[in-house]
């Protein structure tokens, strides 16, 4: 069965492989090159370039880049239909008299292309039209040869397993979000049921950082590379004013991951604002500083940033008497690392260091790189906004898509890392399902812990007590 090589090998530092194209002309068959690099082309020519023939197989960087970016111009099922049509027409796969030797030469290449598509963009095949075309083309390839029949079967089984795992994951997410309640509601109705805090569930910051890394890697793993592009799908001006994805945008795993970041921030703030005693609040702050430091050491920058953002929320940062009891030197170091100035220069330097370590890693533990996700999305967003998808002559601006694919492929390498730490169901359950305070409830808890300092805070406290607690 053809296996696709790892992502890190795909792109060199320039964003794409310098030796892909040996064409001497600057322009060839609707594709425009400069120094042997493909810079632009008509959509039709780019599709032709994707389809293998007896003497040609597209480079893997091209396959990934085109499959990733093509959805800005057409639905994946439309692309699949065109690819199938070209394969059948070119190779005369539908002709009963076609040369069996010819089919033997081309079949492994078509099968390899389909394998790369199903392995890298499996979610495209949740669309019944995609699946139909895939099976039809695979059946034509396999009809004459036992070997190909086995390979086709293997490819389709692997795809079905991936899609089943995705459905299962989405069910779990739906179950978690349907049972989530506001901590204050629980406190008022069943105060005894949440006497626990995070330190009673997991007293060791190192273990908590490991369990957070489990959640991060699992959620990262389910984000399809295409979700980064589908998040920005606009109308394609050459597409008769219809948006490619007029139906629901397919970015739910990416959204679920952003929601997890927000939940973790609120969980941190809740755990700090909950305790009645000042020394307990101070201890909780110090605990989370240690957890954040362990996350940094592991390479889990997303949890690190969520914890810092939870500690910087106003209801937490206003607890001056509590903070006065905290040794903040370690926190200052972490804040410096994640300082947003100069476009997150310090964080980006740390991320490069972690990415470098990951490349030469001897263990899964050293391979972990979990980027600060909102910033990754923002970078991709600005790259997308900063350059046009099409050039004035109507050509697809492929130079832009090399760069986009380079960023997404790095993410693809990171998301495939196996989590090396042992799972602790009890801690994971707590992190994912324990009720957290809403923003209003956080402010109320904060004012109850350390009274309002001015008239504005006093008025807010009164209104929160009356709306949330029914007290004046």
């Amino acid at each position: 069965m053809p296996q696709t090589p790892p992502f890190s090998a795909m792109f060199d530092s320039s964003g794409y492989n310098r030796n892909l194209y040996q064409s001497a002309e600057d322009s060839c068959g609707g594709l425009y090159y400069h120094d042997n690099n493909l810079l632009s082309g008509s959509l039709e020519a780019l599709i032709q370039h994707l389809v293998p023939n007896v003497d040609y197989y597209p480079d893997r960087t091209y396959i990934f880049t085109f499959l990733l970016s093509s959805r800005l111009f057409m639905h994946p099922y439309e692309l699949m239909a065109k690819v199938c049509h070209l394969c059948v027409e070119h190779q005369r796969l539908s002709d009963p008299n076609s040369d069996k030797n010819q089919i033997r030469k081309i079949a492994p290449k078509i099968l390899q292309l389909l394998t790369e598509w199903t392995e890298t963009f499996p979610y495209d095949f949740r669309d019944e039209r995609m699946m139909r075309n895939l099976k039809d083309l695979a059946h034509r390839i396999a009809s004459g040869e036992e070997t190909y029949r086995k390979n086709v079967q293997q490819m389709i089984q692997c795809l079905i397993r991936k899609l089943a795992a995705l459905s299962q994951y989405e069910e779990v997410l739906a179950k978690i979000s349907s049972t989530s309640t506001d901590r204050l509601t629980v406190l008022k109705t069943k105060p005894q049921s949440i006497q626990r805090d995070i330190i009673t569930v997991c007293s060791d910051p190192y273990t908590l950082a490991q369990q957070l890394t489990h959640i991060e890697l699992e959620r990262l793993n389910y984000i399809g590379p295409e979700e980064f592009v589908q998040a920005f799908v606009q109308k394609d001006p050459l597409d008769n004013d219809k948006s490619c994805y007029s139906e629901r945008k397919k970015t739910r795993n990416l959204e679920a991951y952003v929601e997890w970041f927000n939940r973790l921030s609120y969980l941190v703030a809740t755990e700090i604002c909950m305790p009645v005693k000042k020394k307990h609040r101070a201890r909780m702050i110090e605990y989370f500083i240690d957890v954040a430091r362990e996350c940094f050491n592991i390479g889990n920058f997303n949890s690190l940033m969520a914890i810092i953002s939870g500690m910087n929320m106003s209801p937490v940062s206003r607890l001056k008497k509590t903070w006065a009891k905290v040794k903040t030197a370690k926190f200052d170091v972490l804040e410096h690392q994640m300082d947003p100035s100069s476009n997150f220069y310090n964080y980006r330097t740390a991320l490069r260091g972690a990415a470098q370590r990951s490349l030469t890693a001897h263990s899964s533990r050293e391979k972990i790189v979990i980027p600060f996700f909102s910033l990754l999305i923002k970078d991709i967003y600005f790259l997308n906004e900063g350059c046009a998808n099409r050039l004035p002559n109507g050509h697809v601006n492929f130079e832009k898509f090399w760069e986009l694919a380079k960023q997404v492929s790095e993410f693809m390498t990171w998301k495939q890392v196996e989590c090396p730490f042992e799972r602790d169901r009890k801690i994971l359950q707590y992190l994912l399902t324990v009720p957290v305070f809403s923003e209003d409830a956080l402010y109320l808890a904060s004012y109850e812990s350390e009274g309002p300092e001015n008239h504005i805070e006093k008025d807010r406290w009164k209104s929160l007590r009356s709306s949330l607690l029914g007290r004046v």
Side-chain angles (χ1 to χ4, degrees):
M1 184 66 186
Q3 286 299 309
T4 51
F7 266 89
S8 47
M10 277 173 54
F11 290 82
D12 75 1
S13 58
S14 65
Y16 52 92
N17 191 328
R18 289 272 166 204
N19 307 314
L20 290 187
Y21 306 103
Q22 300 310 320
S23 151
E25 314 94 86
D26 263 354
S27 183
C28 111
L31 299 175
Y32 177 74
Y33 297 88
H34 181 67
D35 288 345
N36 288 341
N37 298 320
L38 176 57
L39 298 189
S40 72
S42 68
L43 193 54
E44 280 307 314
L46 291 166
I47 295 169
Q48 295 267 4
H49 199 56
L50 181 71
V51 178
N53 60 39
V54 174
D55 307 309
Y56 163 79
Y57 186 78
D59 186 276
R60 187 168 184 235
T61 48
Y62 177 77
I63 295 172
F64 178 71
T65 305
F66 186 64
L67 291 180
L68 179 71
S69 55
S70 62
R71 61 202 69 239
L72 288 168
F73 307 100
M74 64 202 301
H75 280 277
Y77 77 84
E78 292 171 316
L79 176 62
M80 179 57 119
K82 281 182 183 283
V83 166
C84 290
H85 176 73
L86 288 170
C87 287
V88 169
E89 289 300 295
H90 281 185
Q91 310 314 326
R92 298 171 58 207
L93 293 178
S94 52
D95 181 353
N97 306 317
S98 61
D99 179 0
K100 284 280 179 280
N101 273 339
Q102 176 87 345
I103 291 179
R104 263 187 216 110
K105 280 182 195 161
I106 188 63
K109 291 181 173 179
I110 295 175
L111 186 57
Q112 174 67 23
L113 178 67
L114 296 178
T115 303
E116 296 211 19
W117 197 336
T118 56
E119 281 183 1
T120 316
F121 297 94
Y123 302 172
D124 284 353
F125 295 87
R126 296 182 101 177
D127 185 324
E128 196 38 56
R129 295 164 293 195
M130 288 287 288
M131 211 46 139
R132 248 198 326 271
N133 274 325
L134 173 71
K135 286 178 174 169
D136 177 56
L137 184 55
H139 172 72
R140 287 177 190 275
I141 295 169
S143 57
E145 292 280 336
E146 186 53 38
T147 334
Y148 301 145
R149 210 175 3 255
K150 272 195 194 135
N151 287 350
V152 162
Q153 234 173 344
Q154 215 177 326
M155 173 183 73
I156 289 174
Q157 277 168 359
C158 183
L159 174 61
I160 288 167
R161 268 199 306 276
K162 277 187 180 175
L163 295 180
L166 174 67
S167 296
Q168 214 175 347
Y169 167 71
E170 286 174 352
E171 276 169 33
V172 170
L173 283 188
K175 202 187 266 179
I176 288 172
S177 70
S178 70
T179 55
S180 72
T181 45
D182 175 35
R183 183 105 172 201
L184 192 64
T185 318
V186 182
L187 264 181
K188 287 197 305 196
T189 51
K190 291 185 283 191
Q192 292 314 308
S193 67
I194 48 173
Q195 286 306 304
R196 293 183 310 164
D197 63 18
I198 196 143
I199 297 178
T200 60
V201 175
C202 174
S203 59
D204 176 27
Y206 186 59
T207 306
L208 193 79
Q210 292 182 343
Q211 299 311 304
L212 287 170
T213 303
H214 260 294
I215 295 171
E216 297 282 354
L217 283 172
E218 180 180 51
R219 298 204 167 199
L220 269 190
N221 185 42
Y222 281 103
I223 297 170
E226 71 286 348
E227 294 191 43
F228 289 103
V229 172
Q230 281 161 195
F232 309 130
V233 165
Q234 302 294 319
K235 288 187 171 67
D236 179 10
L238 298 190
D239 200 17
N240 307 326
D241 205 37
K242 74 172 198 278
S243 162
C244 298
Y245 274 80
S246 47
E247 72 224 58
R248 178 179 51 78
K249 280 188 188 169
K250 301 176 176 147
T251 53
R252 72 180 103 178
N253 302 302
L254 187 141
E255 286 158 23
Y257 191 47
V258 173
E259 279 161 23
W260 153 248
F261 179 95
N262 296 336
R263 172 180 167 79
L264 180 52
S265 295
Y266 271 86
L267 176 63
V268 168
T270 300
E271 296 281 349
I272 294 169
C273 290
M274 274 284 291
V276 178
K277 290 187 174 165
K278 188 164 50 190
K279 66 173 184 187
H280 291 163
R281 292 195 298 274
R283 179 172 165 237
M284 191 60 83
I285 289 175
E286 287 180 341
Y287 173 79
F288 276 119
I289 291 171
D290 287 340
V291 175
R293 198 165 66 151
E294 291 305 340
C295 287
F296 180 82
N297 293 338
I298 287 170
N300 177 357
F301 297 107
N302 202 53
S303 290
L304 165 63
M305 198 51 135
I307 293 169
I308 289 175
S309 90
M311 292 166 92
N312 282 330
M313 285 168 90
S314 302
V316 178
S317 60
R318 68 170 293 282
L319 298 170
K320 296 192 175 58
K321 292 172 190 163
T322 305
W323 280 95
K325 289 185 123 10
V326 174
K327 300 185 192 79
T328 54
K330 287 189 282 191
F331 186 59
D332 296 341
V333 171
L334 291 172
E335 279 214 298
H336 174 71
Q337 284 293 352
M338 303 310 267
D339 176 12
S341 61
S342 307
N343 193 13
F344 287 91
Y345 178 79
N346 297 342
Y347 157 70
R348 290 181 192 278
T349 307
L351 180 70
R352 269 200 306 277
Q356 211 45 52
R357 176 188 72 187
S358 177
L359 286 176
T360 55
H362 298 297
S363 67
S364 304
R365 168 77 179 69
E366 294 170 312
K367 278 191 184 143
I368 298 170
V369 183
I370 301 170
F372 170 31
F373 195 63
S374 304
L375 190 62
L376 177 68
I377 293 176
K378 202 163 121 189
D379 287 347
I380 291 174
Y381 174 77
F382 282 122
L383 171 63
N384 187 58
E385 288 294 295
C387 306
N389 290 338
R390 292 200 189 252
L391 301 175
N393 66 357
H395 267 202
V396 171
N397 179 6
F398 217 71
E399 202 170 6
K400 164 184 173 171
F401 295 122
W402 285 128
E403 205 41 59
L404 185 71
K406 182 190 175 189
Q407 289 200 11
V408 176
S409 73
E410 195 165 31
F411 162 81
M412 293 289 285
T413 310
W414 297 337
K415 83 176 194 134
Q416 285 161 357
V417 174
E418 288 283 319
C419 190
F421 310 120
E422 209 174 311
R423 291 172 74 90
D424 185 314
R425 288 181 66 86
K426 193 177 63 172
I427 300 170
L428 291 172
Q429 178 81 3
Y430 186 88
L431 288 168
L432 291 168
T433 62
V434 72
V436 298
F437 278 155
S438 65
E439 190 174 357
D440 281 350
L442 277 175
Y443 271 107
L444 179 60
S446 179
Y447 294 140
E448 297 281 331
S449 297
E450 295 186 20
E453 289 184 353
N454 54 45
H455 286 307
I456 297 169
E457 287 195 345
K458 201 168 273 184
D459 290 346
R460 183 156 194 200
W461 185 29
K462 280 180 188 166
S463 100
L464 289 173
R465 291 200 87 179
S466 96
S467 63
L468 297 178
L469 298 178
R471 294 183 199 152
V472 179

